[in-house]
Amino acid sequence: MFGIFTLHLDDSGRQPLLAFFVAFIVTFVVTRVNVRLIRADVRWWFRNVQAGDLHIHHIVFGVVLMLVGGVMGFALPDGYLGFTVAAAVIFGAGSALVLDEFALILHLSDVYWTEKGRTSVDAVFIAIAVTGLLLLGVRPVGFEGLEPYPNVPLERPLLVGIYIASLVINLVLAVITLLKGKIWTGLAGLFLPILLVIGAIRVARPGSPWSRWRYEPG
């Protein structure tokens, strides 16, 4: 079975995506274990990074790794699979460090250990879910590509118009669903559009941008 899986990755060219996926998960798990041990004041190899009185969050290292991995991915010529995989590993590790403190970016304050800090965990699991689906070959509806129809040239403009319109509608519904605070529904709806319709119609969650903009207090 492992051989079949490896052959599937070789045929589809998803080795860098798999490298990103594994590096992302491993880095997130190691980071969470590390910060828990530090908070429990357990003697351990890694400690908080301080520059005088300044505590340097691991999101800083994540940004640096993402920059290095991203530039490597763009700069490397085609055909260097090993280096591309290495760039994916670096980018995946950096992405995990950044998303682990996503709540700090969102709220512009140190909310890591508060209830608001759960946003970081949600962001990480969403990234894992979407990357896992892409790794399995699942694509958002409408993004598989429009096949040409050479035998029906008169109908092709209509088909292209329908294709583009469906993409626009799905994206608009996804944005509305996300603004209503239904993150999982919005992302899952990219693969199952009926969820976007349901999410866009239903009432927004309290505290979501949509509820603040459209609903009166109380």
Side-chain angles (χ1 to χ4, degrees):
M1 179 175 292
F2 180 76
I4 296 176
F5 180 70
T6 304
L7 181 62
H8 173 68
L9 287 176
D10 291 339
D11 292 340
S12 60
R14 297 194 188 109
Q15 298 95 327
L17 184 60
L18 176 62
F20 169 88
F21 186 67
V22 174
F24 185 93
I25 293 177
V26 171
T27 303
F28 171 69
V29 172
V30 170
T31 301
R32 279 282 159 168
V33 171
N34 182 51
V35 295
R36 291 282 180 181
L37 291 176
I38 292 175
R39 183 174 174 82
D41 200 22
V42 176
R43 291 192 176 276
W44 161 250
W45 292 327
F46 301 103
R47 306 298 298 173
N48 286 326
V49 179
Q50 301 282 147
D53 294 334
L54 176 65
H55 169 60
I56 301 177
H57 291 272
H58 50 267
I59 189 175
V60 176
F61 302 99
V63 170
V64 173
L65 290 176
M66 288 182 67
L67 180 61
V68 173
V71 171
M72 283 181 61
F74 287 120
L76 290 171
D78 296 334
Y80 290 83
L81 180 60
F83 290 106
T84 304
V85 169
V89 170
I90 295 173
F91 192 84
S95 300
L97 293 175
V98 170
L99 287 186
D100 186 55
E101 294 195 321
F102 174 76
L104 278 71
I105 305 173
L106 183 64
H107 297 283
L108 291 179
S109 61
D110 193 352
V111 295
Y112 193 88
W113 296 110
T114 67
E115 184 66 25
K116 293 180 180 179
R118 290 189 57 84
T119 308
S120 296
V121 179
D122 292 339
V124 167
F125 280 112
I126 288 171
I128 291 175
V130 173
T131 306
L133 289 173
L134 293 175
L135 190 60
L136 293 174
V138 181
R139 294 289 183 272
V141 174
F143 285 85
E144 300 89 349
L146 181 63
E147 296 294 333
Y149 295 88
N151 297 327
V152 281
L154 295 179
E155 294 183 23
R156 189 173 180 185
L158 178 61
L159 291 172
V160 173
I162 295 174
Y163 174 74
I164 294 176
S166 66
L167 283 180
V168 172
I169 292 173
N170 282 343
L171 289 175
V172 169
L173 291 176
V175 170
I176 293 175
T177 303
L178 292 173
L179 288 176
K180 286 190 172 184
K182 304 169 184 178
I183 299 177
W184 283 104
T185 303
L187 293 177
L190 294 176
F191 302 91
L192 192 62
I194 187 62
L195 295 178
L196 295 179
V197 177
I198 297 173
I201 292 176
R202 294 186 63 187
V203 177
R205 290 182 176 178
S208 65
W210 188 275
S211 67
R212 294 196 300 269
W213 298 338
R214 306 285 297 178
Y215 303 159
E216 294 183 2

